[in-house]
Amino acid sequence: MDKKQTTLKDIASKLNVSISTVSRALQGNPRISIQTREKVLELAKEYNYFQTKHINPFAKKKIQAVGVIVPSIKYHLYAMAISGIEEILEKHQMQIIICQSNESYEREKILVKELLDIGVSGLIVSLASETKEFDHFLEAKKRKIPLVFFNRLCDEVESDKVIIDNFKAAYDATQHLISVGCKRIAYIGGPKILQISSTRLLGYKKALVDANLPVEEKLIESTNFTREGNLSTARKLLYSPEHPDGVLAFSDQVAIGVMLAAKERGLKMAEDLAIIGFNNEPIDELLEPSLTSIDQPSYEMGVESAKLIIDRIENYDKDVSRMVLKSELVIRNSTNKNKS
């Protein structure tokens, strides 16, 4: 290919895509996937297309779209939050670009860079569990790109935030386990670097102290959120000589791992072991026993995050907001000793 005479047709032919796809990718159209746009840009740069056409796809012109990065859309919380975000963005003629970090810090960094490069008008993010450095978000701040964190966040980056009171939610859940007679209550959190997990741990500990129960470090574990990791962590607790009689789990998925390990161990729920999860996923009612869980207003979390990003787009220099939404403990049979 003659680098001095490169055309859209040349790039399209090389990548086996349509000419219109190449054109949209170069314009930063949100209908084109980030992966496709990246391939188009790489080839266009390789064949000197930008110099011959006198265009710059990295210009600071913004597109009418907001990038949304979540750990995984398979989690009910994030699926519902995305629905709330989309509803508000549509009302403001803004499009949504949905990305999954898959709990990976490296992937999250790449996604943020790609979204900034295509010129999104703002970012709405729930952090990956591996994220402990935040330079990629500071870059967004440097470029004055509006940024909202929801559910999982960090204090290292000043931005608008939407959360629940995780300390109180964990405190209330632990109190409930105590009220049904649990004396040795375990906490299974996420990775220690995850702020939301540490905050819940503090609520759990405070409830134990207030009830004059010991805080036993051997009853505090963490998991990497994989099915294997959840099950392995649960087994470590439940196969110990003095297993817990109550468990507060970081999420319903973690709690399900505990339930599987308990059945494997021959423990009867909730008589031998009471369990509480977070997120109140639809499957909770179908489990045997049904799972007690903390319901987070996930849809509302998305709605409020979208409202904040729109406000920030319209007035970048306004005061930072931190919105705390209410959660609710939904009591089911996994903590009901009378029906065990």
Side-chain angles (χ1 to χ4, degrees):
M1 191 185 297
D2 185 347
K3 296 183 181 181
K4 293 183 179 180
Q5 300 298 323
T6 304
T7 66
L8 291 178
K9 183 178 179 180
D10 294 327
I11 298 172
S13 177
K14 185 73 173 179
L15 295 176
N16 196 28
V17 298
S18 69
I19 294 174
S20 61
T21 294
V22 173
S23 177
R24 290 190 183 108
L26 292 173
Q27 294 171 29
N29 191 305
R31 292 172 57 189
I32 305 302
S33 71
I34 291 174
Q35 292 78 10
T36 298
R37 176 175 164 77
E38 183 177 322
K39 290 177 182 177
V40 169
L41 289 175
E42 286 179 358
L43 193 63
K45 287 168 67 177
E46 180 183 348
Y47 287 101
N48 208 28
Y49 180 81
F50 303 136
Q51 288 187 21
T52 61
K53 299 302 176 184
H54 305 289
I55 63 172
N56 179 8
F58 299 104
K60 293 184 179 180
K61 179 182 177 182
K62 299 294 186 298
I63 59 174
Q64 290 294 101
V66 171
V68 178
I69 305 175
V70 298
S72 175
I73 58 174
K74 71 181 180 182
Y75 299 143
H76 179 67
L77 182 148
Y78 294 119
M80 292 299 296
I82 287 169
S83 294
I85 292 169
E86 191 168 29
E87 178 184 309
I88 299 302
L89 293 184
E90 283 184 353
K91 291 179 180 178
H92 289 81
Q93 289 78 53
M94 298 286 287
Q95 298 193 55
I96 182 172
I97 303 174
I98 303 166
C99 307
Q100 298 182 92
S101 66
N102 295 324
E103 301 287 8
S104 166
Y105 163 64
E106 292 299 331
R107 179 167 171 77
E108 183 182 87
K109 280 201 305 181
I110 291 170
L111 291 171
V112 169
K113 181 181 184 304
E114 290 178 339
L115 290 168
L116 293 180
D117 284 348
I118 67 173
V120 292
S121 295
L123 292 173
I124 298 176
V125 181
S126 187
L127 290 176
S129 60
E130 293 181 357
T131 301
K132 59 181 177 181
E133 296 179 1
F134 311 100
D135 287 350
H136 47 312
F137 296 118
L138 293 175
E139 177 63 22
K141 295 280 291 182
K142 182 179 177 182
R143 297 196 198 184
K144 291 195 171 184
I145 303 299
L147 172 65
V148 173
F149 286 112
F150 77 101
N151 192 45
R152 301 184 191 174
L153 46 84
C154 63
D155 289 331
E156 288 82 355
V157 180
E158 185 179 32
S159 71
D160 299 315
K161 299 175 173 71
V162 181
I163 56 171
I164 66 164
D165 188 336
N166 283 286
F167 180 94
K168 184 177 187 302
Y171 182 93
D172 291 346
T174 306
Q175 272 198 329
H176 175 66
L177 289 170
I178 294 168
S179 74
V180 298
C182 295
K183 302 293 185 185
R184 303 189 73 250
I185 301 170
Y187 173 70
I188 302 179
K192 295 179 181 179
I193 61 173
L194 195 59
Q195 185 189 73
I196 186 175
S197 183
S198 299
T199 302
R200 291 175 182 176
L201 175 60
L202 292 174
Y204 153 87
K205 286 183 174 181
K206 183 64 164 61
L208 293 180
V209 170
D210 287 352
N212 295 315
L213 291 175
V215 176
E216 300 182 57
E217 292 300 323
K218 61 185 177 182
L219 293 180
I220 300 172
E221 293 288 347
S222 59
T223 179
N224 61 5
F225 298 143
T226 64
R227 184 182 187 280
E228 296 75 16
N230 296 342
L231 194 54
S232 175
T233 302
R235 284 171 176 159
K236 182 179 179 181
L237 285 168
L238 301 188
Y239 278 84
S240 62
E242 293 184 277
H243 65 77
D245 57 5
V247 174
L248 174 59
F250 179 88
S251 70
D252 291 345
Q253 295 300 318
V254 175
I256 288 171
V258 177
M259 295 177 81
L260 290 173
K263 290 179 179 180
E264 177 185 276
R265 178 75 169 80
L267 299 175
K268 188 175 182 181
M269 298 173 285
E271 184 177 315
D272 299 326
L273 182 70
I275 305 170
I276 297 179
F278 264 84
N279 295 345
N280 193 31
E281 299 200 8
I283 195 175
D284 293 352
E285 293 182 300
L286 306 177
L287 298 171
E288 184 55 46
S290 55
L291 180 62
T292 295
S293 184
I294 295 152
D295 181 59
Q296 303 186 77
S298 48
Y299 186 85
E300 184 183 357
M301 201 175 283
V303 166
E304 296 303 331
S305 296
K307 287 180 179 178
L308 286 175
I309 205 76
I310 293 296
D311 286 347
R312 183 65 58 186
I313 289 170
E314 294 176 349
N315 181 12
Y316 184 81
D317 294 320
K318 74 182 186 70
D319 292 340
V320 169
S321 299
R322 184 184 181 95
M323 185 169 294
V324 182
L325 305 179
K326 292 183 178 180
S327 61
E328 179 185 0
L329 181 63
V330 180
I331 300 172
R332 299 192 180 95
N333 288 341
S334 69
T335 58
N336 189 344
K337 292 182 179 293
N338 294 327
K339 290 189 178 182
S340 59

